[in-house]
Amino acid sequence: MGRKVPTQVHHAATRLVQGKLLSRPPLWYSAVAQYPPLPLPPRQAVNRTNFDSPLGLQSRSDQTIPEGSSKPYEKMRKEVKPRVMPILYLEDKVRQRFFLDHPFEAFRPRALVEQREVEPEHPVVGKDWTRLRQRGRNPTSEDCIKFAVSLHVHHLLPLSQAYRTACQQYAALRSEHTIASQVAFLEAKAYGAKFNPESSEIGRGFKLEEQALSKWNKATTADVNEQASRKKWRPIFPKQVEDFGLWTRGEEYLHKYKAGETPKYQPNTDAISSPVDSSEAER
């Protein structure tokens, strides 16, 4: 038996059954006929059944071909080239609408550093999530988006109404948080607290950076001054010109050695080190 393409095996089995070469179809025949294998090569697409075909194409498969008008129906029966279907999530649609309506929410700082473990989901989910306040009094934009999707999916609200409800609760909680922050600031200031621009984390970071840089500058200046101070001092020995006489080929040295005189290898230590003037040191 010749080698068969996997997508043609069940067709070959159908022909064998119709030709009565097989008394009964194999056990796998019904399953493979209902769910055929992937097409090979990939450009040959399998015709979709009426069950999983789009709504606009379900009625076309049941239509009969009238006489004299075969060309339009031949185009409909033609195998469609496979295309990558778009991947869409409802959260992306709501997120796009949210940031179009609230562009300044994108300027709020957020930490994008990934931790070792994925953060667990909040326990309030599904039908239990009826108010945005249930996830805290200071919600983020992602909380608002997830709340709108939850109202649409679990509470069966229209997407426009769910989005409007989520935005209204989000705006109410944000305004409440802003007013509470302003009142806390005035209360702390009334009790004697002092606030300056450097009290924030950003100002504190700049201050620590300036302190570290100033230490480096001081250390560099100290090293330069120390090197300069070392260069101003040097040992000075008086120049002594001794008359050694004529060269005796070492006879005088041997004569002193035989006489028991100890040779002096150290220089004259009577002269001590003395400071040198800056003008002389520059020379």
Side-chain angles (χ1 to χ4, degrees):
M1 183 176 179
R3 185 176 181 181
K4 297 294 184 180
V5 181
T7 55
Q8 302 296 327
V9 173
H10 60 287
H11 295 295
T14 302
R15 291 191 293 268
L16 292 175
V17 172
Q18 292 176 355
K20 297 182 179 181
L21 296 177
L22 292 177
S23 58
R24 58 180 180 178
L27 298 177
W28 50 263
Y29 177 76
S30 58
V32 175
Q34 188 176 1
Y35 302 100
L38 294 177
L40 293 174
R43 303 300 295 180
Q44 296 180 357
V46 177
N47 294 329
R48 300 175 68 173
T49 60
N50 194 21
F51 176 76
D52 62 346
S53 60
L55 296 177
L57 300 177
Q58 288 182 0
S59 59
R60 297 181 184 179
S61 60
D62 300 334
Q63 294 177 358
T64 58
I65 304 175
E67 297 180 358
S69 59
S70 60
K71 290 185 178 180
Y73 289 91
E74 287 178 359
K75 292 182 180 179
M76 286 194 301
R77 292 200 309 270
K78 187 178 180 181
E79 295 180 354
V80 182
K81 295 182 179 180
R83 295 181 180 179
V84 179
M85 301 298 292
I87 301 175
L88 300 176
Y89 293 95
L90 186 60
E91 289 83 354
D92 295 336
K93 184 178 180 180
V94 178
R95 187 178 292 107
Q96 183 179 8
R97 183 72 261 175
F98 178 82
F99 284 106
L100 285 175
D101 296 338
H102 309 82
F104 290 97
E105 291 294 329
F107 291 96
R108 294 188 183 276
R110 294 186 59 190
L112 301 179
V113 180
E114 296 183 356
Q115 303 296 334
R116 180 176 298 179
E117 299 179 356
V118 180
E119 185 178 359
E121 185 67 23
H122 198 277
V124 181
V125 292
K127 293 184 178 180
D128 297 335
W129 194 10
T130 57
R131 302 284 296 176
L132 185 58
R133 186 189 294 268
Q134 292 177 268
R135 288 202 176 186
R137 294 178 176 270
N138 186 20
T140 61
S141 57
E142 291 298 324
D143 293 335
C144 179
I145 294 168
K146 291 180 181 179
F147 181 60
V149 175
S150 177
L151 291 178
H152 175 67
V153 175
H154 299 286
H155 297 276
L156 304 179
L157 290 178
L159 186 59
S160 59
Q161 183 180 354
Y163 173 74
R164 190 183 306 109
T165 303
C167 289
Q168 289 176 354
Q169 296 187 20
Y170 178 76
L173 291 176
R174 292 302 306 174
S175 61
E176 180 182 345
H177 181 267
T178 302
I179 295 173
S181 301
Q182 293 177 356
V183 172
F185 172 76
L186 296 176
E187 183 179 1
K189 194 173 182 181
Y191 278 102
K194 295 182 180 180
F195 298 94
N196 51 15
E198 297 182 356
S199 61
S200 62
E201 288 295 328
I202 299 176
R204 181 172 173 272
F206 280 122
K207 189 175 181 180
L208 293 175
E209 184 179 357
E210 291 177 357
Q211 291 178 358
L213 293 175
S214 63
K215 290 181 180 179
W216 293 353
N217 294 334
K218 290 180 180 178
T220 305
T221 307
D223 293 342
V224 172
N225 295 335
E226 186 177 358
Q227 292 176 2
S229 62
R230 289 178 180 177
K231 289 181 180 179
K232 291 182 180 179
W233 291 85
R234 65 181 182 182
I236 299 175
F237 297 98
K239 296 182 180 179
Q240 299 179 357
V241 180
E242 299 181 1
D243 186 9
F244 296 98
L246 299 175
W247 184 45
T248 59
R249 299 182 180 180
E251 295 179 358
E252 184 177 359
Y253 177 79
L254 291 175
H255 177 70
K256 292 181 178 180
Y257 175 74
K258 292 178 180 179
E261 296 182 9
T262 304
K264 296 181 180 180
Y265 298 103
Q266 297 180 356
N268 189 7
T269 58
D270 296 337
I272 60 174
S273 301
S274 60
V276 182
D277 296 337
S278 59
S279 59
E280 185 179 354
E282 293 177 356
R283 294 177 183 175

